[in-house]
Amino acid sequence: MNDTETKSTETKSADVKSSDEKRVGVFVCECGVNIGGVVNTKAVADYVAALPGVKVTSVNKFTCSDSGQADIQQKIKEHNLNRVVVAACSPKTHEPTFRACIEEMGLNQYFLEFVNIRDHCSWIHMWEKEKATEKAKDLVRMGIERSKLLEPLEASEVPVNDTALVVGGGVAGMQAALDLGDMGFKVYLVEKEPSIGGRMARFDKVFPTNDCSICILGPKMVEVARNKNITIMSYSEVKEVEGFVGNFNVKIEHKSRYLDINMCTGCAKCSEVCPVEVPYDFNEGFGTRKAIYVSFPQAVPLRAVLDMENCIKCKACAKACERGAINYEMQPTYTDLNVGVIIAAVGFKTYDPEPRHDFGYGLYDNVITAMEFERLLNAAGPTGGHIVRPSDCKEPIRVGFVNCVGSRDKNTNIYCSGVCCMYTIKNAQLLKEKRPETDHTIMYIDIRTPFRGYEETYNRARNLGVKFLRGRPVEVKEDPTTKNICVRVEDTLAGEIRNLEFDLLVLATGVVPHEGINQIQQLLKLSKAADGLLMEAHPKLRPVDTTIDGVYLAGAASGPKDIPYAVSQGSACASRATILLKNRKAITEGITAVVDPDVCVGCGVCLPMCPFQAIKMDEKEKKANVMKALCKGCGTCVTACPTGALEQSHFKNSQILAQVKNVFKFPEVAA
Amino acid sequence: MTFEPNILSFCCNWCSYAGADLAGVSRFQYPPNIRIIRVMCSGRIEPAFILEALKNGADGVLVTGCHIGDCHYIEGNKNAEIRINNTKKALEKLGLDKRLRLEWVSASEGARFAEVVRDFTEEIKKLGQNPVKEVKINE
């Protein structure tokens, strides 16, 4: 049966190709009530049915559904259509669906014209139904005129180098690297810090199970280091990215550690003798580290790093190093990589309340952030796991927690960071378990505990006696003698103002983009959302893809995420990337610039226009030449061409002008 | 009857078209005077398209692209900026320069897209009908 069907399509495509007559079918989608509730789709179909070239029109409840697509295919057959106009939602989501649909019927996929009458019409003119209907008619008319000028194009294939680059060695990036490595692909894992592990390495315990964070992360870090397919490039940064899917050329800078990483054993004898002490960034500035140090005991790779900014060059470390690894003159080195895919798992930072002095942070000693609390709680932290208050190092009894600091606030970030409720509950619970005499009050706007085990953790904290007060502090002051923190807060459930005194106040700071995000965004040509974090190709259906083929996003760089979510995204990226890595080829758009050699005079104006060096001058013939594999199809060179020898396929001058000339109707023409 | 201008907009596929989509998804309402033509990059927009639009009934032309530095094709929008500014200069002599506007709208700026359209529509309403159109109607 399949055979006969194929045969019949073959004959049809031959028929269609031989005919110059443009036979257009127009398919107007109601998208349920999304379009149909505003635009009179029947009126649109009736109007366009009378336009020249239109052989058939059809209105469907959901054109993208099986029956909607079957209707298109049937009408292509019945009416011998050679152009299909779909008036529906956005080509950005649905163009591939309908291209495949018409291709199945033997039509070239570029004979589809997609008209957006939902996102650009019905949804934005909800209360102007008549005007929206008139606008839809115009939009479809423009599409019909353009469709008649569409030309067949072939999508091209490019080879894919089966190696991957993962940027960011946090838990999401590690998972992506591990999955790809386990599948047998070569992976380069680039991390800007001296050790992989990311933010998770700094946490004490992780909700909802209260596992020791480094106890579950440490073995995974070692697993990454042991994986034969993974090369860790720590203390390194991506400096340049060129090329395209399957073939990215990347320059990596290895910052100087001022010691030979192959000779260093991480014994830390250098740190023991180093006389310089600087605030320990890994402990959020609590306690000190030396100018030469191993970032933390479980670091991978377990190697020292010399912080030249603070080094006094006393050379004590060089004398102490038995292996003579230290080199004060060491310069950064560079590696050029060629990779097929890039996974960006560049992470986040926590909101910094210092500049705005939110809730007295930075003004009063005993107001600290949750990350600082986390390090104090950690057995490997500056106090060996004892929570003390900074002013007098005494163990606090009354501890207040303020939620949503830098989140859900018009003055900072409007979004919910998603993780702060849970980590605050966890922190209060851990201290309560350690020291039952302590008294905890969590001041919140709403408590959000959406996933498995989270609500149970919340209940457990309440049963332990952690108090929850719904309200945001309006005033935070320090008692100058006791250094206690006095908080004025409205208990919005009881409807009364409360004046509370705490020994320590902990701010639940939210998830924000870190400084490096702009650099990676511009290097990879990614989009950034209004919240400053990176944007995925589609928030629901393509959550780890980007608009750049072969580039994927994992972890909190694309929005706040907890650990299981970040790990899932790491795996998801690996899975998406494998499609390219395994097939070793990628299909690229057929839309490119094309030169008409008969018209080209070889002036070379187009050459500097192309940022991808896709145009080369044939010096002998004095003609420009477009290399299709390099051309991304932007059309900038086409606009620059003074002779009209360059055209952008699928966006030819004639095709765009067909839309321009048919968009508005003059009164007398319309009448 | 109040004057309802015809506005033609060119949107680049990656940022501003997606921004217009987001305005739709977010149901940000804006005046229905605008018709959008999608191109892959704002660098593809030829001055001729703008002149043709003004000749063919548009009272205003709105060109939108990615913010500088965010271009999907690295610097197509920089070329667009030069060309649109030059076109504006040429239109100045015809007294039509205010009918052309260039704006950067990112894929996440749905609200901004709606705002830009509202603002531009208002401006063109104040300017009144494109005089070229009058000539054409009277022909």
Side-chain angles (χ1 to χ4, degrees), chain A residues 90 92 120 123 126 648 653, chain B residues 13 21 29-30 34 44:
Chain A
S90 174
K92 292 193 72 83
H120 294 187
W123 272 351
M126 283 159 69
Q648 182 187 13
N653 281 346
Chain B
N13 182 57
D21 276 3
Q29 306 295 300
Y30 58 78
I34 189 170
R44 174 67 184 97

Side-chain angles (χ1 to χ4, degrees), chain A residues 34 90-92 95 116 119-120 123-128 131 135 138-139 142 521-522 525 528-530 535 547-548 609 611-612 632-636 638-640 647-648 651-653 656-657 659-661 663-664 666-668, chain B residues 4 6-8 10 13-14 17-18 20-21 23-25 27-32 34-41 43-46 49 52-53 55-58 69-74 76 79 83 106-108 133 136-137:
Chain A
N34 286 311
S90 174
K92 292 193 72 83
E95 195 172 56
N116 190 336
D119 309 43
H120 294 187
W123 272 351
I124 44 160
H125 312 310
M126 283 159 69
W127 303 298
E128 294 172 285
K131 284 181 177 170
K135 175 170 174 177
D138 289 349
L139 293 173
M142 287 158 76
Q521 179 221 350
Q522 298 202 347
K525 295 291 150 210
K528 209 162 74 174
M535 220 169 144
T547 50
I548 311 294
M609 286 294 133
F612 308 103
K632 307 278 236 172
C634 63
T636 291
V638 178
T639 310
E647 272 284 20
Q648 182 187 13
F651 289 92
K652 295 178 83 163
N653 281 346
I656 296 175
L657 285 172
Q659 288 175 287
V660 172
K661 289 179 180 169
V663 54
F664 302 115
F666 287 101
E668 83 272 42
Chain B
E4 288 296 340
N6 291 335
I7 314 263
L8 181 65
F10 292 97
N13 182 57
W14 303 99
Y17 192 91
D21 276 3
V25 173
R27 315 297 200 274
F28 294 131
Q29 306 295 300
Y30 58 78
I34 189 170
R35 312 283 182 266
I36 290 172
I37 292 177
R38 178 170 71 125
V39 288
M40 295 311 278
C41 177
R44 174 67 184 97
I45 297 154
E46 304 218 6
F49 299 165
E52 280 296 334
K55 246 171 74 186
N56 283 280
D70 287 358
C71 177
H72 187 78
Y73 305 103
I74 301 170
N79 291 320
R83 288 166 190 156
S106 84
S108 64
K133 198 158 81 176
K136 188 140 181 175
I137 293 168

Side-chain angles (χ1 to χ4, degrees), chain A residues 202-345:
Chain A
R202 299 187 187 197
F203 299 152
D204 177 48
K205 303 274 191 311
V206 285
F207 61 80
T209 44
N210 291 359
D211 306 83
C212 155
S213 185
I214 196 70
C215 311
I216 56 173
L217 186 71
K220 216 174 179 72
M221 290 160 66
V222 174
E223 207 186 318
V224 173
R226 281 214 186 115
N227 193 305
K228 287 190 175 61
N229 288 324
I230 302 176
T231 302
I232 299 176
M233 294 178 163
S234 59
Y235 211 44
S236 302
E237 282 183 42
V238 177
K239 285 288 164 193
E240 285 170 26
V241 180
E242 276 177 1
F244 48 89
V245 57
N247 188 22
F248 292 104
N249 292 312
V250 185
K251 189 183 221 77
I252 311 285
E253 180 189 62
H254 309 292
K255 292 177 275 189
S256 176
R257 286 179 183 251
Y258 298 97
L259 52 86
D260 187 335
I261 193 167
N262 296 316
M263 285 160 81
C264 174
T265 58
C267 70
K269 281 193 178 143
C270 50
S271 308
E272 284 165 23
V273 297
C274 178
V276 182
E277 297 205 355
V278 284
Y280 192 9
D281 36 5
F282 188 78
N283 275 344
E284 300 292 311
F286 280 142
T288 58
R289 62 159 168 83
K290 298 297 182 65
I292 187 163
Y293 64 108
V294 174
S295 44
F296 55 99
Q298 298 86 350
V300 169
L302 190 66
R303 298 289 181 266
V305 56
L306 173 60
D307 160 15
M308 197 44 101
E309 255 178 55
N310 291 301
C311 175
I312 55 167
K313 293 202 176 165
C314 68
K315 304 204 171 156
C317 54
K319 280 178 214 140
C321 180
E322 286 161 9
R323 309 201 59 184
I326 291 157
N327 172 2
Y328 296 102
E329 306 304 323
M330 189 180 252
Q331 293 299 311
T333 55
Y334 296 88
T335 305
D336 291 314
L337 297 177
N338 183 276
V339 296
V341 296
I342 300 176
I343 295 171

Side-chain angles (χ1 to χ4, degrees), chain A residues 479-531:
Chain A
D479 182 321
T481 46
T482 60
K483 299 279 175 188
N484 288 346
I485 303 297
C486 305
V487 173
R488 191 173 159 81
V489 55
E490 184 189 354
D491 183 336
T492 56
L493 291 180
E496 58 190 39
I497 302 289
R498 308 267 297 269
N499 290 298
L500 303 172
E501 192 173 324
F502 297 108
D503 303 321
L504 183 68
L505 190 68
V506 185
L507 309 183
T509 47
V511 172
V512 295
H514 60 67
E515 292 77 11
I517 211 157
N518 288 336
Q519 193 191 352
I520 202 77
Q521 179 221 350
Q522 298 202 347
L523 281 172
L524 296 174
K525 295 291 150 210
L526 302 174
S527 302
K528 209 162 74 174
D531 55 21

